[in-house]
Amino acid sequence: MEEEEGSTPELRERKKSSSLENEQTALQTLPEKTRDIPPMRRSPKYVLFQRFAKLFLGCLAAVTSGMTYALYLSTYHERRFWFSSRQELEREITFQGDSAIYYSFYKEMLKAPSFERGVYELTHNNKTVSLKTINAVQQMTLYPELIASVLYQATGSEEVIEPVYFYIGIVFGLQGIYVTALFVTSWVMSGTWLAGMLTVAWFIINRVDTTRIEYSIPLRENWALPYFACQVAALTGYLKNNINTSVERFCYLLVSASTYTFMMMWEYSHYLLFLQAISLFLLDSFSLMQADKVHEVYRIYLLSLFLGYLLQFENPALLVSPLLSLVASLMLAKCLQTFVPHKENGHMLQFLEAKFGLNMTKNFTMNWLLCQESLQAPSQDFFLRLTQSSLLPFYILVLIICLFSVIQAIFRRINGKPLKEIVTLEDGRIGERPEIVYHVIHTILLGSLAMVLEGMKYLWTPYVCMLAAFGVCSPELWMTLFKWLRLRTVHPIFLALILSMAVPTIIGFSLWKEFFPRIMTELSELQEFYDPDTVELMTWIKRQAPVAAVFAGSPQLMGVIKLCTGWMVTNLPLYNDEDLLKRNENIYQIYSKRSAEDIYKILTSYKANYLIVEDAICNEVGTMRGCRVKDLLDIANGHVVCEEGDNFTYSKYGRFCHEIKINYSPYVNYFTRVYWNRSYFVYKINTVISFQS
C-alpha cells in the first residue's frame, strides 16, 4: 500500500504536466480572442471539440448567408420583372446597354456547332459592327460567357433549364460567394463569426450602394468582384502572424487562383489590384509585416499578369498597367512601358485631368463620360443611407481607432522599438496586426476614390460593411480604446469582451426590427418592367428589316438590337476602344445641329441602312445643366456662344432629330420614314437620292 501511495503523486504530476502541454499547444492554435483568456483546466478532447464546433457553426453560417442572399436576389429579380411569365424577347429587353452585348455573345456561343467554332467566330467577329472585325473575347472580356456556355452544355442543362435562367443563376450564385467571402474576412479578422453575420446584414440592407446586380446582371464587375472578395479573404489569412504552415500554404494558393481569375473576368481588375499593391507596399515599407510574404504576393501579381497577357490575346493594356509598373519597379524589373505603346492609360490620364479641372476640353466623349452619374461625386443621399443603417458611424469609429493604433505602431518602429510577433488582447495594440494595417490602408484608398467617383462606392461600401462589423465584434479594438482611456473602474479585458458581444447584438436587433420588414415587403410586392415600345420596335425589325440590314442609333439601343434581333449595327455601348468611341460620337450627331447631307455622309460611311431616332434623347430634359447629349454635341461642334456668362446655341441648321420628323426637303431626299411609335422613329437611308421638293 505504501508503495502504491508513493507512486500516486508521481502519476498525478505526470498527468498534470501532460495536460498543461496540451493546453499550451491548443492555446497557440486558438484565435487571439480566445488565447488571451486565462487558461482553464480542460481536456484536449474538449478543446478539440470546442474548436471544431466553432469552425463548423461559423462555416455553416457563412454558407447559409451566401445561399440566402443568392435566393433573395433570384426572388427579387422574379418579382421585379415577372421574368418567368414573359416571352423571350421581353426577357432580353431587361438587359440594357453593354449588358445586352455580353448576353448576346452567350447566345451565340450556345448556337455554335462546337465550342472551338464558337470561340473562333467571337475572336474573328465581323457580324456585329459594320465594316469592322473585332476580337470580341479580348475587347469585351467574354471569358464569363465562354465559361457559362461550356457549363450549360457540359452539364446537360439544356433539358432542365432555359439558357437565360442558367446564366443569371450563375451570377446570383457568385454574389452568394461574394457575401460568403466578406463573412469569412470579417470572421478571420475578429475571431468570431458574429462579425460575419453583421457584415452580411449591413451588405444586404445597403445593397443599393454595395452592388449593381439589381440594375445590370451581366456587368463584368458582377462576375469579377466575388473572386476579388475571395482573394481578400485569403490574403487576410495569409498576412496573419500566428498561423500554421498548412493554413498559410492554403491561403497562398487561394490568393494565387483568385487573383488570376479576377484578372481574367474584368478588364479594369489590374487597377484595383494596383491599389492593393500600394497597400502592401506601405505595409512593407514600415516593416509592419514579414517582407517575404509581401514579395510572394508580388510574384502572384506578376504571374497573373503574364498569364492574363497570354490568354487575353497579348493584351497590351496589361503590360502597361500601373500594377505592373509598381510591382516590377519594386522588384527591379520596370522596363516594358518604354517599349509597348498603348493608349488606355493615356485616356485615363486625360479623364483624370478633366475630372479635377486641370485641363478643359470640348471633346464630346470626354465630356459625356464626365457627365455619367457613376463618375460624379457621391450625393448626400448616399451618406444619409449609410448613416440611417448605423453603418457609417461605426465605420468611422473603427477606422479612427485602427488608424491611430497603426500610426502608433509606425512611430514605435521608427523609434527602434520592436513590434510584437503575436499581439495579445491585454496589449491593446490592434494596429500592430499586419492584416489590420492592410485593410486600413486599402479602405482609405478606396474611400478616397469613392469620394470623387460615385461608381467606386460599389467597391468601397462592401469593405466598409466588413471593417465596421469586424471592429465592433473585436475585443482587441475595444481594448485598444480602453488602453488610451486608461480605464481603471472596470477590468478592461472583461469590459472589452462584454462590449464585443453586446454592441453587435444590439446593432443586429435594431437592424432586424427596422429593415427586415422592408425587405420582406419588397419580396412580396409585384413590380413590372413595361416597355411596349421597345418590344414593338424589335418585333418590327425581326419581321420587316432585311437580314443584311445595318442599323444606326444610340449605342445603348444598338446593344439591345444586337441581342434581341441579331442584326448588325454601326456602334456599341463599349468605351475601351478608340474606334468605337469615335463611332459613337459620329452617330450621336443625329441629335446635333448639322445638315441632312452631313448626317447622310456619316451614316453611309458606316454602310448603315436604317436610322433610329429616340424621342427621349431628342427631347431630353436633363437634370444637370450642360450634360444632355445635344448640349455636349453643341459644345463639341462649336455651336455654343458664350456671352456674359450665358451660353447661346447658334447654327444655320435646325436640330436634325427635330427637322427630320417634319418630312420636308432636303431631309426626305435622304431619309424615308418606315416605322414609328411613341418612342422611336425608324428611317430608311435612301441609296438613290431624290431632290424633288
Side-chain angles (χ1 to χ4, degrees), residues 63-126:
V63 174
T64 302
S65 298
M67 293 178 63
T68 302
Y69 180 60
L71 181 61
Y72 163 78
L73 289 176
S74 178
T75 305
Y76 181 78
H77 182 263
E78 173 63 28
R79 289 288 189 176
R80 184 182 182 190
F81 295 109
W82 292 16
F83 213 67
S84 60
S85 61
R86 292 187 176 276
Q87 298 179 354
E88 183 180 7
L89 177 60
E90 294 175 317
R91 291 174 182 173
E92 292 177 348
I93 288 177
T94 63
F95 297 106
Q96 298 289 321
D98 51 352
S99 296
I101 294 298
Y102 297 133
Y103 185 73
S104 71
F105 288 118
Y106 168 71
K107 285 179 57 179
E108 289 188 13
M109 281 298 300
L110 295 181
K111 294 177 182 178
S114 66
F115 177 76
E116 293 78 8
R117 183 62 186 175
V119 172
Y120 178 82
E121 290 179 354
L122 290 185
T123 55
H124 302 79
N125 186 284
N126 58 2

Side-chain angles (χ1 to χ4, degrees), residues 209 378-388 454 457:
D209 303 305
S379 63
Q380 293 182 353
D381 293 339
F382 167 61
F383 300 102
L384 182 61
R385 288 191 296 269
L386 297 188
T387 303
Q388 288 175 339
E454 184 169 359
K457 72 180 182 181

Side-chain angles (χ1 to χ4, degrees), residues 181-320:
L182 292 174
F183 183 111
V184 172
T185 304
S186 188
W187 179 15
V188 170
M189 293 172 66
S190 64
T192 171
W193 50 266
L194 183 61
M197 297 292 290
L198 187 56
T199 299
V200 174
W202 266 328
F203 182 93
I204 296 177
I205 289 170
N206 295 282
R207 66 191 181 283
V208 175
D209 303 305
T210 56
T211 178
R212 288 195 285 187
I213 188 68
E214 295 180 7
Y215 311 108
S216 188
I217 293 175
L219 284 180
R220 301 299 84 177
E221 64 190 62
N222 292 334
W223 287 88
L225 289 181
Y227 296 102
F228 182 66
C230 292
Q231 190 251 25
V232 170
L235 183 62
T236 302
Y238 182 70
L239 293 178
K240 290 175 72 72
N241 287 326
N242 57 327
I243 59 173
N244 58 51
T245 305
S246 59
V247 174
E248 181 177 317
R249 178 56 53 185
F250 171 77
C251 291
Y252 176 80
L253 294 176
L254 185 55
V255 169
S256 303
S258 54
T259 299
Y260 169 69
T261 308
F262 173 58
M263 191 170 292
M264 296 300 295
M265 293 291 172
W266 195 20
E267 64 268 31
Y268 300 119
S269 59
H270 55 92
Y271 290 112
L272 189 54
L273 292 174
F274 170 66
L275 295 179
Q276 187 181 75
I278 291 178
S279 304
L280 294 173
F281 167 67
L282 294 175
L283 192 65
D284 185 29
S285 299
F286 293 113
S287 301
L288 297 177
M289 69 166 295
Q290 301 174 21
D292 57 336
K293 287 190 174 183
V294 177
H295 297 156
E296 286 294 331
V297 178
Y298 288 162
R299 292 187 183 96
I300 292 175
Y301 290 151
L302 291 176
L303 178 61
S304 298
L305 283 167
F306 175 71
L307 294 177
Y309 171 75
L310 295 179
L311 292 181
Q312 291 184 10
F313 304 93
E314 300 182 357
N315 185 0
L318 296 181
L319 290 185
V320 294

Side-chain angles (χ1 to χ4, degrees), residues 589 592-596 598-599 602 637 639 651 653-654 656 667:
Q589 296 297 326
S592 68
K593 294 186 173 183
R594 296 182 64 173
S595 67
D598 288 346
I599 303 299
I602 291 173
N637 295 336
H639 295 158
S651 175
Y653 301 106
F656 177 84
Y667 297 91

